[in-house]
Amino acid sequence: MSTNSEMPKTYEPAAVENKWYPLWEQRGYFHGKPDSRKKPYSIVIPPPNVTGILHLGHILNNTLQDILVRWRKMQGYEVSWFPGTDHAGIATESKVEKTLREAGKPGRDELGRAEFIKKIWDWRAEYGGTIIRQLRKLGTACDWERERFTMDEGLSTAVRKVFVDLYHKGYIYRGQRMINWCPVAKTALSDEEVIYRDTDGKFYHYEYPLSDGSGALEIATTRPETMFGDTAVAVHPADERYRHLVGKTVDLPLTGRKIPIIADDHADPEKGTGCVKITPAHDPNDFLVGRRHNLPVISILNPDASLNAECGPEFAGMDRFAARKKCVKMLEELGLMVKIEPIRHAVGYSERGDVPIETLVSSQWFCRMKQLAAPALEAVQSGKITFYPERWSKTYYHWMENIQDWCISRQIWWGHRIPAWYNRDTNEIYVGMEAPAGEAWEQEQDVLDTWFSSWLWPFSVMGWPEKTDALAYFYPTCDLVTAPDIIFFWVARMIMAGCEFMGDIPFKNVYFTSIIRDELGRKLSKSLGNSPDPLDVIDTYGADALRFSIIYIAPIGLDIRYSNEKCELGRNFANKLWNACRFRRLQGPVTAGFRDLSGVDHNLLTPDEKWIISWINEAVIMTNQALEEFRFHFAAHEIYELVWSTFCDWFIETSKVRLRGSEAEKQQVLQVLDFVLFKILRLLHPFMPFITEELAHQLDFLDENQTIMQEQFPRPLENMEIPSIMEKDHDLLDLVEAKFQLVRAGRSLRADYNIPDGKKINYFIKAVDRVNADFLTGETESLKILLGAAAIEISLEDYDAANRGAAPSQLANAGTIYLPLRRLIDIEGELNKLNGQKRELEGWIRGSRAKLANEKFLSKAPEKVVSAARGHLEELQQKLARVELLIRDLQ
């Protein structure tokens, strides 16, 4: 953009964002391709569900990834950020089913498999790219030319190949086992898809009469409706109370059946009555007991968790919770209910269905995981893969060392259909990439768990099992940024898959993001109404403001306390930077040496110029180091402090002296301003891509065919570049720091006496020594601008209060700064006001001390109230000390 056009007075995010993103994408700036001359940097997006809508978790995750991608691109790497979406089997099928029902159209069961799947593909074509379009609003530099979908043709081939290979290797098998069942989705779930919640419930104690009429056994359960599936009562073999009953039977109430009393170690004599009802079809432990004793397995539930015909006509088709109430009522009527106790216990909920799961015996497909887990466990233990924060390694180790077989089949239609066929004539099972020849073969109805495609993501997105150029160049990827709640679902399984199918780890570093909570510490959710729409936030504050703010408040390993108001920080920061650049633009055209200060005699650099160059060099070192260590929050703070305070509040203000000087002085300070600003824009670009691109063009650092994302990320200066800085003239830089400390002290004195910023006042400085006196004398004009002073006197002598009048002071490293108050304020009136404040504070302090000396108050008041009272007293004492200091200065 030419400097002939006027730069807007204020930053308008929407206009800038809408201008630059399409250009970046059209010009192919995001696309990476194999280049043997450059080091590769690759990263894969955690694929959001195709049903997904952008939320703040996506904002945090993708901003972090985008920072890494843009930073590495600017460092000269050949970068590709592989994007895509997950087909999300259960979630998508439920979403489309709900959409059809709400529109009054036929649903899943009415349409049949083929037509229903077609409806899902139609829905995906229309709505499935929503979250991807929304990610563009954030400014993500994804390699959109490489976008993938977990059910596209190439990834489907990869899924089939993995299933077939693992089946023939003996890792995948079909068997009847106890599984988790979601009554809403009507499908099996893996253990990781079950979320345990502490829930209020009841413990029901009731009797099973002995069949010979000699008594009854008392059992206890939280789920009396499962009694219809009971096939035994177990007691411990060593329990003397019941040993004589083993082999007898009890009458199972409400059923007319008799079930045996068996001896098994599963029964705990110390727990309850020592008698345990055994329901092999609906409890994992009971299932094992049933196997040991060859008990019948009676399933009592329909797929929706209503009771089935095994429970009799009175209960068949009844909701499980309604059936529980009816069972309890009937047991009470029969006089068999002993007592009901309220309890609080952990109940497993379906992650997707958000209802209590059922455990039941079912024929499913499983994958043996122990052998797959071994190399993946070693990869983290040996340091080949590093977790940030490191504490997540322990969680990973525990799960991997205790890993169970993975239930990979799902009883839904949307997903990768299992490549297994059954022969109706011979009962033979065939597993292969394609269907076997002949009409007798029928394909398995179940589909694979969604995560069975996602665990292949790091290499399937690059074309595997084909040997593509992208796979050869970009695999393994470098970093993974993801939420910790999918460490088992996804991270661990990707490591296993990479080791198994690629013979190499899928990534070198894993950064686990923070959990975003509201100001009250609650997780964000639509039901609580505390989960803002990020697109609304972007419309209000701008994408860069949201990006920067959420990183600024996200320390590694700690939860984020978020509110929209915190985006004020990012917006104010963007405006501060915009105003600084606009100030520079108003001073004239860009200088020739903005990249390297080539037009400046480095020996002529002023102390302030050396100081700012030294500071930005330090910020460059710290930012690069922080990003290498995934300390994004630290890097954001470092850049913020550099821009807001060091550059804008100090250097720009002090540069105004040189801008009013000779043409040579003006040109030199403009070159330093340009040199520093261009470094700042490049340093900040990964965090705030839109405004930095716009400002780099507004200041003519770049022409219309260039982009800041292809500029070099700032690197530390080397000694030969600016020797006068890099020789580290610490004494000189310390003098500059001391000058600014003195300014802060002078401004504090002005504020103490409520003297308006625009009023020109005089200061007196007693320098600590000759070196500081000489330096400050040379900086008088700079000090006058920074302090808003009419005159500044610098001396090695004490301030003469007797002849000059009262002058409060503050001590600093460079000396003591005084503010002469004669003719500036009414000293007598000010003293009267301060003495009044002093008397008032002393009265409050006496009252506060008396309150805290009252034993009755201390013993009865809540600790929070007592603590607040102590804090209030401390605050009053600090105010009194300040007032007494001001009085002393005026006397």
Side-chain angles (χ1 to χ4, degrees):
M1 179 177 289
S2 169
T3 50
N4 292 326
S5 61
E6 185 177 350
M7 183 173 173
K9 291 183 179 179
T10 58
Y11 176 49
E12 299 167 358
V16 170
E17 292 161 13
N18 292 334
K19 166 186 170 183
W20 284 112
Y21 198 89
L23 279 174
W24 290 336
E25 192 170 353
Q26 290 162 16
R27 293 177 180 177
Y29 293 153
F30 302 152
H31 185 51
K33 47 193 174 185
D35 185 342
S36 59
R37 298 165 299 175
K38 298 166 73 175
K39 289 178 66 175
Y41 179 85
S42 57
I43 189 168
V44 294
I45 198 171
N49 288 352
V50 71
T51 58
I53 300 295
L54 202 66
H55 58 66
L56 284 172
H58 295 125
I59 296 293
L60 173 62
N61 190 302
N62 287 282
T63 296
L64 293 170
Q65 291 176 82
D66 199 48
I67 289 170
L68 292 171
V69 163
R70 290 176 182 270
W71 172 53
R72 293 302 191 189
K73 190 182 289 285
M74 294 176 76
Q75 285 187 321
Y77 288 79
E78 186 63 21
V79 175
S80 186
W81 180 7
F82 291 80
T85 49
D86 191 292
H87 67 279
I90 296 174
T92 305
E93 188 162 306
S94 300
K95 177 75 173 178
V96 175
E97 171 81 357
K98 182 181 178 184
T99 302
L100 291 171
R101 293 292 185 197
E102 289 175 350
K105 296 179 179 178
R108 178 184 188 272
D109 295 335
E110 295 90 337
L111 289 169
R113 185 172 195 137
E115 279 302 308
F116 183 63
I117 290 175
K118 184 177 181 298
K119 291 289 184 186
I120 297 179
W121 278 109
D122 291 344
W123 184 91
R124 187 249 174 185
E126 188 170 355
Y127 302 107
T130 299
I131 196 165
I132 293 299
R133 290 191 295 272
Q134 291 174 330
L135 282 174
R136 285 173 162 88
K137 289 285 290 181
L138 187 62
T140 52
C142 293
D143 193 342
W144 297 115
E145 295 178 43
R146 298 187 183 279
E147 183 182 347
R148 303 301 297 270
F149 176 51
T150 52
M151 279 188 63
D152 67 26
E153 186 177 347
L155 270 71
S156 295
T157 299
V159 169
R160 288 197 305 276
K161 176 172 173 53
V162 165
F163 185 94
V164 171
D165 287 358
L166 291 179
Y167 176 82
H168 289 299
K169 200 170 181 178
Y171 288 4
I172 286 179
Y173 64 95
R174 182 171 174 80
Q176 190 176 66
R177 285 185 46 185
M178 183 66 62
I179 54 99
N180 306 301
W181 184 264
C182 174
V184 173
K186 300 175 187 175
T187 182
L189 301 173
S190 67
D191 291 342
E192 293 71 42
E193 291 169 296
V194 178
I195 309 299
Y196 285 90
R197 299 177 188 168
D198 284 339
T199 306
D200 289 325
K202 293 178 180 178
F203 216 28
Y204 301 92
H205 295 252
Y206 53 90
E207 293 179 334
Y208 284 178
L210 290 164
S211 300
D212 62 9
S214 61
L217 296 182
E218 181 184 325
I219 58 92
T221 180
T222 57
R223 305 177 63 213
E225 72 279 7
T226 60
M227 65 189 300
F228 294 108
D230 289 1
T231 54
V233 172
V235 296
H236 195 276
D239 194 332
E240 295 293 341
R241 294 172 296 174
Y242 306 114
R243 182 178 290 177
H244 66 288
L245 297 177
V246 174
K248 292 189 175 185
T249 63
V250 294
D251 293 336
L252 186 61
L254 313 184
T255 68
R257 288 195 289 118
K258 297 182 188 299
I259 57 175
I261 301 169
I262 62 172
D264 193 277
D265 289 342
H266 172 58
D268 185 351
E270 304 299 322
K271 190 174 180 181
T273 63
C275 301
V276 183
K277 63 191 286 294
I278 302 300
T279 318
H282 297 287
D283 183 275
N285 292 316
D286 292 2
F287 178 72
L288 297 176
V289 173
R291 278 193 168 180
R292 288 196 290 271
H293 296 270
N294 199 28
L295 296 175
V297 178
I298 303 173
S299 176
I300 66 164
L301 297 174
N302 293 313
D304 64 356
S306 62
L307 274 61
N308 64 23
E310 292 285 351
C311 306
E314 198 170 351
F315 286 90
M318 185 178 288
D319 172 78
R320 53 183 165 160
F321 300 115
R324 179 176 304 171
K325 291 180 181 178
K326 186 166 183 175
C327 282
V328 170
K329 185 173 183 295
M330 293 178 73
L331 287 168
E332 287 174 334
E333 291 172 349
L334 291 169
L336 297 175
M337 186 64 66
V338 177
K339 61 181 176 179
I340 302 173
E341 297 175 314
I343 61 167
R344 188 155 182 84
H345 61 147
V347 175
Y349 275 71
S350 165
E351 185 189 38
R352 291 292 177 196
D354 197 33
V355 295
I357 61 149
E358 291 293 340
T359 50
L360 49 85
V361 174
S362 175
S363 291
Q364 301 286 341
W365 289 88
F366 296 89
C367 183
R368 294 186 173 91
M369 303 301 288
K370 287 196 181 297
Q371 286 176 279
L372 291 171
L377 180 61
E378 188 276 335
V380 178
Q381 289 174 330
S382 67
K384 294 174 190 171
I385 297 175
T386 305
F387 285 177
Y388 298 86
E390 195 278 332
R391 60 184 164 85
W392 287 108
S393 299
K394 294 178 182 176
T395 305
Y396 177 84
Y397 297 154
H398 178 76
W399 188 72
M400 295 291 274
E401 288 165 354
N402 297 279
I403 198 164
Q404 301 297 310
D405 288 0
W406 175 14
C407 178
I408 57 175
S409 49
R410 298 292 180 269
Q411 288 67 53
I412 57 175
W413 291 344
W414 175 244
H416 298 97
R417 197 164 172 181
I418 291 175
W421 286 262
Y422 303 96
N423 191 299
R424 290 188 296 270
D425 300 331
T426 64
N427 293 326
E428 180 185 355
I429 297 178
Y430 172 80
V431 172
M433 294 295 289
E434 304 295 340
E439 296 182 0
W441 295 96
E442 183 176 338
Q443 189 172 359
E444 167 67 71
Q445 296 294 309
D446 292 353
V447 301
L448 288 161
D449 179 8
T450 295
W451 297 102
F452 199 87
S453 52
S454 301
W455 75 324
L456 314 178
W457 190 248
F459 49 90
S460 64
V461 294
M462 298 180 190
W464 187 92
E466 299 298 321
K467 295 181 178 179
T468 65
D469 291 342
L471 188 65
Y473 184 72
F474 285 118
Y475 189 91
T477 65
C478 302
D479 303 318
L480 177 73
V481 178
T482 189
D485 56 355
I486 55 174
I487 186 171
F488 309 133
F489 287 119
W490 195 47
V491 178
R493 289 172 180 161
M494 281 192 292
I495 299 173
M496 287 186 263
C499 293
E500 175 69 16
F501 298 104
M502 294 297 298
D504 200 355
I505 56 174
F507 31 71
K508 302 176 186 70
N509 302 294
V510 182
Y511 178 85
F512 292 105
T513 59
S514 305
I515 296 173
I516 304 179
R517 302 183 183 275
D518 66 11
E519 291 279 46
L520 300 176
R522 302 174 301 176
K523 288 187 76 171
L524 301 185
S525 71
K526 289 182 181 178
S527 61
L528 289 174
N530 65 351
S531 182
D533 183 343
L535 296 184
D536 291 341
V537 181
I538 289 173
D539 287 343
T540 303
Y541 297 96
D544 283 342
L546 174 56
R547 288 169 60 116
F548 189 83
S549 299
I550 207 164
I551 299 304
Y552 190 90
I553 63 174
I556 184 170
L558 299 177
D559 291 353
I560 298 172
R561 295 294 180 96
Y562 176 87
S563 67
N564 283 350
E565 291 70 30
K566 289 188 176 178
C567 291
E568 295 278 358
L569 178 142
R571 180 166 65 183
N572 293 342
F573 184 53
N575 290 335
K576 184 91 166 179
L577 179 64
W578 184 269
N579 291 336
C581 290
R582 189 167 184 274
F583 168 81
R584 166 60 192 94
R585 170 87 178 265
L586 292 172
Q587 309 310 312
V590 65
T591 56
F594 69 87
R595 291 181 185 274
D596 55 9
L597 282 181
S598 56
V600 174
D601 183 342
H602 299 158
N603 295 314
L604 298 180
L605 289 168
T606 68
D608 286 346
E609 289 165 351
K610 291 181 178 181
W611 176 82
I612 189 62
I613 292 170
S614 174
W615 260 109
I616 195 163
N617 192 56
E618 189 68 21
V620 166
I621 293 170
M622 298 302 288
T623 301
N624 275 294
Q625 182 178 331
L627 292 178
E628 290 284 359
E629 297 169 355
F630 300 92
R631 292 184 296 128
F632 303 96
H633 158 267
F634 180 88
H637 278 252
E638 186 74 24
I639 298 170
Y640 181 91
E641 185 64 26
L642 169 72
V643 174
W644 191 285
S645 178
T646 308
F647 182 68
C648 293
D649 288 353
W650 292 117
F651 185 70
I652 285 184
E653 290 305 308
T654 194
S655 72
K656 291 174 181 177
V657 176
R658 305 272 289 171
L659 290 170
R660 296 170 187 168
S662 67
E663 185 60 26
E665 289 175 328
K666 179 179 179 181
Q667 285 304 309
Q668 177 168 307
V669 77
L670 286 178
Q671 287 217 36
V672 174
L673 279 167
D674 288 347
F675 175 75
V676 172
L677 265 175
F678 192 46
K679 275 189 180 288
I680 284 174
L681 294 180
R682 286 178 289 147
L683 202 62
L684 186 57
H685 176 72
F687 298 83
M688 303 178 82
F690 291 111
I691 191 172
T692 50
E693 184 78 88
E694 177 69 12
L695 289 173
H697 287 82
Q698 285 283 357
L699 294 176
D700 282 339
F701 293 147
L702 305 173
D703 64 36
E704 61 182 12
N705 295 315
Q706 294 175 302
T707 174
I708 193 170
M709 75 175 71
Q710 291 181 340
E711 292 294 317
Q712 184 185 69
F713 195 78
R715 54 181 178 76
L717 295 170
E718 297 177 3
N719 286 342
M720 70 285 298
E721 292 181 272
I722 306 181
S724 58
I725 302 299
M726 300 316 295
E727 287 166 3
K728 289 285 184 186
D729 188 346
H730 290 292
D731 291 340
L732 180 62
L733 298 178
D734 287 346
L735 288 171
V736 177
E737 289 284 357
K739 177 183 76 169
F740 291 138
Q741 184 194 31
L742 204 62
V743 170
R744 282 190 286 271
R747 289 175 176 174
S748 176
L749 290 171
R750 178 193 284 268
D752 285 344
Y753 293 95
N754 300 311
I755 301 169
D757 290 341
K759 185 176 179 64
K760 296 291 184 181
I761 56 179
N762 298 333
Y763 285 95
F764 178 93
I765 297 173
K766 181 197 175 184
V768 71
D769 55 28
R770 172 59 63 186
V771 172
N772 278 276
D774 290 346
F775 177 76
L776 292 172
T777 300
E779 296 292 311
T780 301
E781 291 305 311
S782 169
L783 286 167
K784 284 165 69 175
I785 284 181
L786 294 170
L787 286 165
I792 295 176
E793 183 179 346
I794 298 164
S795 174
L796 286 170
E797 304 297 326
D798 290 329
Y799 176 77
D800 185 2
N803 292 314
R804 295 191 175 200
S809 63
Q810 281 201 19
L811 187 65
N813 289 341
T816 305
I817 185 167
Y818 294 82
L819 175 60
L821 295 175
R822 183 180 290 173
R823 292 187 297 276
L824 199 57
I825 65 170
D826 176 2
I827 294 178
E828 186 175 346
E830 185 71 16
L831 275 170
N832 288 334
K833 184 183 79 174
L834 290 169
N835 278 312
Q837 290 177 356
K838 178 184 176 186
R839 287 191 296 273
E840 189 177 54
L841 285 165
E842 287 171 338
W844 287 342
I845 287 171
R846 282 194 297 274
S848 186
R849 282 175 173 162
K851 185 177 183 179
L852 287 167
N854 186 328
E855 290 297 332
K856 193 173 181 182
F857 168 73
L858 293 175
S859 62
K860 292 191 173 181
E863 178 56 37
K864 196 174 182 180
V865 174
V866 175
S867 178
R870 290 193 178 107
H872 181 58
L873 174 60
E874 186 177 342
E875 184 181 336
L876 290 172
Q877 290 170 329
Q878 290 172 352
K879 287 181 179 178
L880 178 61
R882 183 71 189 139
V883 167
E884 288 175 336
L885 180 62
L886 293 174
I887 291 171
R888 188 202 69 189
D889 286 340
L890 292 178
Q891 290 174 335

